Amino acid sequence: MTSALVIGGGLAGTTAALALADRGHAVTLAEARPRLGGLAFSFSRDSAAGPLTVDNGQHVYLRCCTAYQGFLRRVGGAALAPVQRRMDVPVLHAGTRRVGRLRRTAAPVPLHLTAGLARYPHLTLAERASVGRAALALRRLDPADPALDAESFGHWLERHGQNRATIDALWDLVGVATLNARADEVSLALAAKVFRTGLLTSPGAADIGLPEVPLGHLHDTLAAAALERAGVRTLLATKARALHPGPEGRGWRADLTGRDDTPYHLDADVVVLAVPQREAHGLLPPGALPDPGRLLDLADAPILNLHVVYDRRVLRAPFFAALGSPVQWVFDRTAPSGLTGGGQYLALSQSAAGAEIDLPAKVLRKRYLPELERLLPAAAHARVRDFFVTRERTATFAPAPGTARLRPAAATGARGLFLAGAWTATGWPATMEGAVRSGLAAARAAAAV
């Protein structure tokens, strides 16, 4: 039986381990943290509002994210992260307090968005018409065309008649949340992938899936149980220090450090590096990639998450997006967090947050609580029982023009060594879907050895 070592227990590594086990490998998974889940995890907080289970950041997925849905089915969590019957996104303007809705119908593409766009109050009639023309032009693009990666999405939008209002109220409303960058800083290829796949391929592709349980339950508890059922040996709190050719040049030897800081090594025929790109760069043996320095050129982009617990309910919808405010997306996480006693827990997800990621919590509190009161009048009459911040400084790779050439394929130039992670060449931005696809690609490539 072929032995396989997967280094990294995020979504990419867990997926790769399960897929390798399905192919008959004897799999060991080593994860440096004391838990699985990577950057999509949960933790416990002893809050003034009572004990909470907190997601480090709000993660959603779309119906078009078929690989991630397959992961949820595999670990037994599909029913715990249901998808909307039809896409319906409330969009609240802070200045007018008017709510618009981005909705779809069951009509064929692109007519499924026509009725919703026609009623969208945050754009003029002429702006809505210009959005329709740009969407049709976007549908004709091929995200795999290398020329698209050289151009920014913002430049393309400008060439196709999109003004600041249309970019703010639609293109960036969706794009910042999915790409973690504003249109001017996004590769046209990645933007085309997001918008074509989500909005311009099938009517239900952009229906939103939202976990009703903590992420840790899906990506750690259920994932660990699935790995155990599959026969995968899981080593938590185990750090990979180096990777060398195995004895007599066959396979690989990984130098590891376990929970007690005792160094040891583990031999395997196949290794999958499912760690962030900088960590992968440090572990890659000579010759594995023609230009390993490119991994260091793949920049990181942060996401900031603000958590507010009120003493009463201030939001009726499960989530909304905001315009005319620094607030981007707000989610009701009361039930998943375990909060009781009649209060409400809101999570604010702030992507493309480079300017704010290092601001003190007291500064962010002063900036964002008045904004929530402007968006949600009931918040002005509520008492804040808890306010805290979580920061992911390396949440995603930056999806800038020219990024495609920096993202390596799953197979390397070293026999039996493979890469997985949302930063690899999946064709997708850095999402949970991209991470799962990368793990599947690594397992397929390993099966061909």
Side-chain angles (χ1 to χ4, degrees), residues 49 309-314 334 339-345 385:
V309 181
Y310 290 103
D311 66 349
R312 67 195 71 182
R313 191 172 185 85
V314 299
T334 305
L339 178 68
T340 59
Q344 188 171 34
Y345 170 11
R385 300 184 66 194

Side-chain angles (χ1 to χ4, degrees), residues 43-402:
F43 62 91
S44 298
R45 177 177 175 84
D46 187 13
S47 168
L52 300 177
T53 302
V54 177
D55 290 343
N56 69 310
Q58 181 60 53
H59 291 70
V60 303
Y61 69 98
L62 304 180
R63 194 183 297 276
C64 63
C65 297
T66 55
Y68 180 68
Q69 290 178 79
F71 172 86
L72 290 177
R73 289 192 296 272
R74 177 59 191 273
V75 304
L80 303 176
V83 181
Q84 292 176 316
R85 189 176 70 87
R86 289 185 183 174
M87 182 188 76
D88 184 3
V89 179
V91 183
L92 174 58
H93 196 288
T96 64
R97 286 186 178 166
R98 190 171 184 182
V99 179
R101 306 191 87 91
L102 293 174
R103 286 173 164 162
R104 65 100 174 170
T105 68
V109 174
L111 299 178
H112 68 308
L113 298 175
T114 302
L117 186 60
R119 297 184 180 92
Y120 192 53
H122 305 312
L123 296 174
T124 66
L125 181 60
E127 288 165 346
R128 288 177 227 155
S130 77
V131 165
R133 291 191 295 271
L136 292 175
L138 193 63
R139 194 182 182 199
R140 293 191 289 268
L141 298 180
D142 178 5
D145 181 354
L148 270 60
D149 189 54
E151 182 176 1
S152 81
F153 185 40
H155 182 251
W156 186 91
L157 288 173
E158 183 180 335
R159 289 197 292 108
H160 286 79
Q162 302 305 286
N163 62 16
R164 189 71 257 165
T166 61
I167 292 174
D168 288 344
L170 183 64
W171 301 110
D172 267 354
L173 185 81
V174 175
V176 169
T178 53
L179 292 154
N180 197 20
R182 302 194 180 279
D184 289 342
E185 301 170 328
V186 170
S187 156
L188 175 56
L190 284 172
K193 179 66 177 179
V194 166
F195 284 95
R196 287 182 81 259
T197 305
L199 296 175
L200 301 170
T201 53
S202 64
D207 299 343
I208 295 174
L210 186 63
E212 294 180 341
V213 296
L215 289 173
H217 185 68
L218 299 173
H219 301 161
D220 183 14
T221 305
L222 293 183
L227 289 167
E228 184 176 8
R229 289 193 301 271
V232 175
R233 177 190 179 201
T234 301
L235 306 175
L236 299 179
T238 300
K239 176 74 173 177
R241 301 294 181 185
L243 189 63
H244 317 280
E248 300 180 5
R250 290 195 296 269
W252 297 94
R253 171 163 289 179
D255 296 337
L256 305 172
T257 302
R259 290 181 183 272
D260 60 358
D261 292 329
T262 300
Y264 66 101
H265 64 260
L266 192 152
D267 295 335
D269 301 310
V270 168
V271 172
V272 176
L273 290 181
V275 293
Q277 65 268 26
R278 280 164 180 72
E279 188 174 341
H281 177 271
L283 292 171
L284 282 173
L289 292 179
D291 186 2
R294 287 186 174 184
L295 298 185
L296 302 180
D297 293 333
L298 192 57
D300 294 314
I303 295 178
L304 178 70
N305 295 276
L306 313 174
H307 308 260
V308 188
V309 181
Y310 290 103
D311 66 349
R312 67 195 71 182
R313 191 172 185 85
V314 299
L315 172 65
R316 297 295 173 187
F319 65 89
F320 72 92
L323 290 178
S325 168
V327 174
Q328 294 176 13
W329 289 73
V330 180
F331 296 85
D332 178 6
R333 301 306 288 163
T334 305
S337 72
L339 178 68
T340 59
Q344 188 171 34
Y345 170 11
L346 301 184
L348 283 66
S349 181
Q350 302 290 118
S351 301
E356 294 186 317
I357 192 66
D358 291 319
L359 291 180
K362 63 181 180 181
V363 173
L364 295 168
R365 179 184 180 118
K366 187 175 181 179
R367 176 175 299 179
Y368 279 95
L369 288 184
E371 287 296 321
L372 283 173
E373 293 177 9
R374 196 156 68 104
L375 290 159
L376 304 169
H381 306 288
R383 181 170 63 90
V384 175
R385 300 184 66 194
D386 198 5
F387 179 97
F388 58 100
V389 179
T390 55
R391 312 169 199 262
E392 290 296 341
R393 292 176 175 82
T394 60
T396 71
F397 66 83

